[in-house]
Amino acid sequence: MDEEQQDREQPETVRCSHPESDCSPDATDSLDAAAAAAAISSHDPSLSDRDCGTEGPFPGKSAGIKIISSTNGPVEPDLQGPGGEGPSERTANHSEVSVGEVNGRSRPEGAEDEEDRPEDVSDSASTDNTLEDSSEFVVTVLTRASLEDQADGPSSEPSGLSQTPPPSNQDEDVTAESWRQHRKHVFVLSEAGKPIYSRYGNEEALSSTMGVMMALVSFVQTGDNTIRSIYSDEHTVVFMQQGPLVLVSVSCSRQSEQQLRAELLYVYNQIVSMLTQASINRIFERKKNYDLRRLLAGSEKILDGLLNLVDSDPSFLLSAVHCLPLASALRDSLSQILQKAITPNLVFSILIAKQQLLTIVQEKTVIEDARLEPADLHLLLNLIGASSAFQAGEIWTPICLPLFNPDCYFYAYISYLDPPDCTVCLLLLSTDKEAFYAVAECKRRIDEGMRAQNALSSIAKAHSYSASQVGVPDLRHFMYKPFDVPDNHRQLTQFTSPEMEAPYSSEEERSRLLDLYRYMHSRIHSSSRPLKLIYHVAERETLLAWVTGKFELYTCFSPLVTKASAINAITKLLRWIKKEEDRLFIRSPPKYSTTPNPSKSSRGSKGASDRPDGSDNGFLSLL
Amino acid sequence: MPDYAKTKKPDVKLVILGDMNVGKTSLLHRYMERTFKDTISTVGGAFFLKQWGPYNISIWDTAGREQFHGLGSMYCRGAAAVILTYDVTKWQSLVELENRFVSLTDTANSDCIFAIVGNKADLTDTRAFAVEPEENGTEEKEQGPRASSSPAAPPKGHKQVSREDAVALYSRILQYKLLAEETCLPAERMCFETSAKTGYNVDLLFETLFSMVLPSIRRKEAQSDSPTVDLEECREVKGAKPGCCT
């Protein structure tokens, strides 16, 4: 019935938003122009003026080098020196052009570099010998910074000249043009400007680049302000400070600042999940210039994997969890198997197949205080993906769930139930560091339970569905995310989506569709002008996104669809989802109670487990 | 059969320690799966159960990353053998053994035995390099290209850690453990140079250790040789016998 009502509203809404949405095909362009005009969007509009000071150091290239060499020392004084003496805006712009030349047409001007090098060495003999290499990128960054002063800046942007295929290696040459071509760079550095992580290339080789990033951050900071982003013709640079860490995203993916910021937050949270926020803060309180890579060494792959997932998996965009469609009876019986295999201090039992959630069962008292956030689950899934090197074993590792509690560790038991195929993964989270053998015993029981019911083969048969099953001819793909409704507001946020099928079967097309979704998402969630409904006619497809108090929906149609038929299709789609709801979503995550007595350890569970609770039929009461 | 092994309680515990990237996971992978493949940095620790004759040997493959240092002593608790792994081409990896890992073994059994293992010997040693990777059916095929492409280039890595260094470390560990060298296993037998890539000495390493920890298993059994009859054990013997005959 609800749906009917909404249906009647639809045509109107569409009409309302029509003028807005019709700018669609070239919307990106106009959007960018606006973005460029916005220049630095810091809190203080007067800042863009002052920011020219940042370019101060680079009228002469040697001055630019100066910042770089101060990477290891205090950044601000050096920077403010030349900045304060302030070359006028004009000189800055002028030099930008010359730098652009130096920078753009490869680097046969070894002579200039030669000149600079002695200075490097004298200033910071200890820094690595890659200074000279990365200084070029620094100049590029600075050039970008200058570009935002000339909103309609000349397209002499030095980056983005040729289209070379990017090598996908950590020891990529950071001076290569291909390095600059990457769609999205992510850098993590400490407040002291020390490099911690770079998505592409070696952080060490980028220390000077990161030094400049930190210089930008702290320069703006001295004015009691916070740098948020820099826009240039092609790139968006987003800065985010989280405690003692600074995260920077340099992207030419045309995503919104908001989206890029959310992605940076995932990166930060993944780091927290490995170290905990408390220990990161403690480390840097004690030693400002600590090299965090010591602790993160080896985890680069996990961060790389996360960023790849963020790019390819819409769950991150929607901050919702994707469940594998499963007959609700089967899902319930799986949950019951998990529910029966418990041990003290066990708080979450999670079953995953094909990187999608099968079911999740939680300790009863824990969920009263908090629930597992989709973002935490995403980090867990990524960890599983990154640690699957040797799949016959049982992994026991500390992990922090940053949104649940950023300062404590859980202990995760990860094991595959179907070696050697390794498609069904069991994840058990305990608060007790020593509980490995007890938890491993739970796995044996789960193993037995699964075998008794022949559950593995049923799971193997489960698979995602095709958009054609909905029975709407023009519908190619969709993403549907129901919001929390009062009766199950403690529920995990989920979304459902069919397989991406032809014409989106190739990697390239897939990411193109995702880009379109991202664009729709950014319009819907625009901070300045949020929309409820967009009808977007793209080059090769037509998209319709709609957000209500109950759900968020993104649909993709064939290009020939009409507005009326698209709306019709959505009505049918919603009806279909309603019908399939029980299969598509986990309706009521069951709970168990592992704490008949107050437990000895409740580190991670926010003291939840010190409430004794005898009744353990939480699952039945939920039904 | 592996399921049967999994339901069994492990009889003895073995731990692999060492700095990151020395090849701990690869060593174990070579021994268990008979192949070499690129691994991802281990998180935390990974637990494996190896059935060796009638015994179940549990092996902990730990993460070398400093991040997981805190868990080290937990993995080592009650261990009967510790494999301290370094990379023969990296001096620092041997230093780290002494700095970070030896102290973790405090929680191991008092009669714990130590093996010092220099991995990646194929990079420096022609003998280790020349070892033909074992043939084993299907898996060999996927490994084929790698194996066939490598013989073209002789090992040219610079060996930074000599066997003598490892032997010296071994005696320092015994000192640290307040053990008299004479009563312990001699260093020559406890220092190995291996290559997980070619399989050089890998089986030797594990088989030697297993046969050395056997006494520890026997002793445990003797202790549990109480008036109570262990039905489980009986079944185990029975299970093993028919297996041989068929």
Side-chain angles (χ1 to χ4, degrees), chain B residues 99-113:
Chain B
N99 289 349
R100 277 168 49 200
F101 294 101
V102 172
S103 61
L104 292 181
T105 63
D106 290 351
T107 51
N109 283 351
S110 53
D111 60 348
C112 172
I113 60 172

Side-chain angles (χ1 to χ4, degrees), chain B residues 174-185:
Chain B
L174 294 189
Q175 273 170 25
Y176 170 81
K177 294 275 163 194
L178 302 173
L179 296 167
E181 242 170 280
E182 304 77 50
T183 61
C184 292
L185 293 154

Side-chain angles (χ1 to χ4, degrees), chain A residues 32-196:
Chain A
D32 248 50
I40 286 200
S41 60
S42 71
H43 299 314
D44 179 358
S46 72
L47 215 109
S48 39
D49 270 15
R50 221 189 301 159
D51 214 62
C52 310
T54 328
E55 293 138 34
F58 85 79
K61 209 182 165 209
S62 51
I65 297 292
K66 214 169 201 146
I67 315 178
I68 297 152
S69 45
S70 67
T71 310
N72 283 355
V75 173
E76 292 154 65
D78 251 42
L79 185 83
Q80 272 174 322
E85 288 150 31
S88 72
E89 214 168 305
R90 270 185 65 227
T91 46
N93 287 344
H94 168 76
S95 72
E96 177 262 316
V97 174
S98 69
V99 168
E101 278 164 15
V102 165
N103 202 16
R105 318 273 170 260
S106 75
R107 56 208 77 75
E109 25 22 64
E112 275 203 43
D113 286 352
E114 227 83 82
E115 271 177 28
D116 300 332
R117 217 169 289 147
E119 202 182 329
D120 277 357
V121 175
S122 62
D123 268 12
S124 64
S126 62
T127 31
D128 48 287
N129 50 10
T130 45
L131 276 178
E132 163 247 334
D133 301 342
S134 33
S135 63
E136 258 182 50
F137 182 70
V138 173
V139 174
T140 317
V141 168
L142 287 174
T143 316
R144 281 202 198 106
S146 87
L147 264 179
E148 102 255 319
D149 284 319
Q150 326 150 298
D152 44 354
S155 46
S156 67
E157 240 260 275
S159 67
L161 281 180
S162 61
Q163 292 294 324
T164 32
S168 56
N169 213 322
Q170 198 70 31
D171 18 75
E172 201 180 315
D173 180 9
V174 299
T175 62
E177 197 54 44
S178 60
W179 182 79
R180 269 174 232 174
Q181 298 289 326
H182 286 300
R183 205 173 119 98
K184 196 186 293 161
H185 281 278
V186 172
F187 305 96
V188 182
L189 45 147
S190 75
E191 247 179 328
K194 273 227 161 109
I196 294 170

Side-chain angles (χ1 to χ4, degrees), chain A residues 136 147 277 454 465:
Chain A
E136 258 182 50
L147 264 179
Q277 188 166 279
N454 207 9
Y465 54 97

